[in-house]
Amino acid sequence: MAVRVAPIMKSDLRRVAEFLHAHLNSRVSVAAWERSVDVRWTVDAPNHGFMLVDTERDDALAGVYLAFYSERMLDGRLERFCNLGAWCVLPDHRMHGVRLLKALLDQPDLHFTDLSPSGNVIPINTRLKFRFLDTTTALMPNLPWPSRPGRYRVSTDPRVVESTLTGRELQLYRDHADTAAARHLVLLSGDEWCYVVFRRDRRRGLPLFASILHVSDPELFRRMARPLARHLLLRHRIPVSLLETRVTGHRPWPSVLLRSPRRKMFRSARLRPDQIDYLYSELVCVAW
């Protein structure tokens, strides 16, 4: 087969979106795939990933590996990230699929994350020196706990979120406000606030789960776990939350630990696991 690897540029996004809709996940529309790849935050991205082009079939797409780039300030140093997104290769071209991964990893001066690796990708990543993040996850039922008017408040109103947040958290919100999968709220108690980012997730095809991606104040989050659970159930019709302890800082009651939480991985020469989060990634951009 005459197949070449090429970077995905902005002009390629429509046909890449059509390919992913047809061959990976038809629940995500072509327009939604295209919008998700064209990220809303400011970054000097070299590409949107890489694609396999079949030169014997008029340069038809045979495979795609998406990438989401970002620049983060950590410990006073600007760090560049590449989050590995959707990876889809046609069966007849599977032998060439690893060339897409190699093209991504050969890019210099980047930290790599893979936050939703499929089962067959995990051993490949492991051989390439990716490390596992601790994804210990508690499953919490979102119960209609009684509320105490005036003591705690949960708001998803963009005006309230924008006027409450300051500094780094405000910038995080502005960078993610228009992404397809991220949902935003603030927990309020007197002068205290906690910014929370979550996404609606599927398990066994059922979109009944809220996965918590970011918590700015774990202590206030702990105290307001019940008002949050009530809000997610009554306002968003989400009966269950998934809380990774590395994100939320605690395991709420009542909850049970998942026996086999979804794995997340990263590869970096100098960053610690606690410096890796789930923002600026496929998790906030693609609502599957």
Side-chain angles (χ1 to χ4, degrees):
M1 297 179 181
V3 178
R4 64 183 175 88
V5 174
I8 299 171
M9 308 310 290
K10 193 174 182 67
S11 59
D12 301 308
L13 292 185
R14 184 67 179 184
R15 66 173 182 150
V16 165
E18 291 170 349
F19 179 88
L20 292 171
H21 174 74
H23 300 289
L24 183 62
N25 191 334
S26 60
R27 284 197 303 265
V28 182
S29 69
V30 172
W33 274 117
E34 185 174 12
R35 175 177 178 265
S36 70
V37 181
D38 192 12
V39 300
R40 296 319 196 236
W41 55 83
T42 301
V43 62
D44 184 16
N47 51 64
H48 296 282
F50 286 86
M51 57 187 178
L52 283 176
V53 178
D54 189 336
T55 58
E56 292 182 345
R57 293 194 301 129
D58 298 323
D59 284 351
L61 291 187
V64 163
Y65 206 153
L66 297 184
F68 299 83
Y69 297 91
S70 63
E71 296 176 346
R72 314 288 299 277
M73 188 64 69
L74 298 175
D75 293 337
R77 178 185 177 120
L78 187 66
E79 306 286 1
R80 299 177 62 241
F81 285 80
C82 174
N83 169 243
L84 306 180
W87 187 6
C88 178
V89 180
L90 297 181
D92 290 346
H93 295 77
R94 290 281 163 81
M95 68 183 72
H96 297 285
V98 74
R99 294 171 59 189
L100 296 173
L101 178 56
K102 185 177 185 300
L104 285 164
L105 298 181
D106 281 348
Q107 298 178 109
D109 302 321
L110 288 168
H111 309 288
F112 295 92
T113 61
D114 193 344
L115 305 179
S116 54
S118 60
N120 58 340
V121 173
I122 290 173
I124 297 174
N125 283 353
T126 302
R127 289 196 297 271
L128 293 170
K129 299 183 179 181
F130 277 74
R131 290 183 283 162
F132 290 105
L133 294 167
D134 178 5
T135 55
T136 300
T137 302
L139 185 150
M140 179 184 74
N142 293 330
L143 302 175
W145 299 102
S147 62
R148 297 182 180 181
R151 181 176 180 183
Y152 295 128
R153 182 183 174 200
V154 181
S155 179
T156 57
D157 186 333
R159 294 168 298 180
V160 174
V161 176
E162 179 97 19
S163 63
T164 298
L165 302 184
T166 60
R168 173 180 177 270
E169 300 301 324
L170 179 58
Q171 187 60 55
L172 292 178
Y173 170 69
R174 289 173 174 170
D175 285 346
H176 293 81
D178 294 327
T179 56
R183 300 292 178 264
H184 312 271
L185 58 85
V186 286
L187 308 177
L188 301 160
S189 175
D191 294 333
E192 297 179 276
W193 54 264
C194 174
Y195 173 42
V196 177
V197 182
F198 71 95
R199 60 171 283 132
R200 182 185 288 269
D201 255 332
R202 292 177 178 268
R203 292 293 189 274
R204 298 182 180 180
L206 300 175
L208 303 177
F209 301 84
S211 290
I212 306 300
L213 302 179
H214 175 73
V215 170
S216 68
D217 185 338
E219 174 55 29
L220 182 57
F221 184 91
R222 181 189 64 79
R223 300 202 315 264
M224 292 190 62
R226 290 187 177 185
L228 173 62
R230 175 186 173 88
H231 174 88
L232 292 173
L233 177 66
L234 300 182
R235 297 296 181 87
H236 299 272
R237 301 295 187 264
I238 301 177
V240 182
S241 289
L242 297 170
L243 300 89
E244 290 187 25
T245 54
R246 71 183 300 267
V247 175
T248 63
H250 82 295
R251 174 187 169 185
W253 186 91
S255 67
V256 295
L257 292 179
L258 297 185
R259 292 183 179 179
S260 301
R262 292 186 174 177
R263 309 307 295 268
K264 295 180 173 70
M265 309 179 78
F266 78 105
R267 191 176 90 161
S268 172
R270 62 176 175 271
L271 294 187
R272 306 182 306 272
D274 63 282
Q275 294 177 298
I276 307 297
D277 63 27
Y278 303 151
L279 302 179
Y280 300 93
S281 72
E282 181 185 50
L283 296 182
V284 298
C285 291
V286 185
W288 54 71

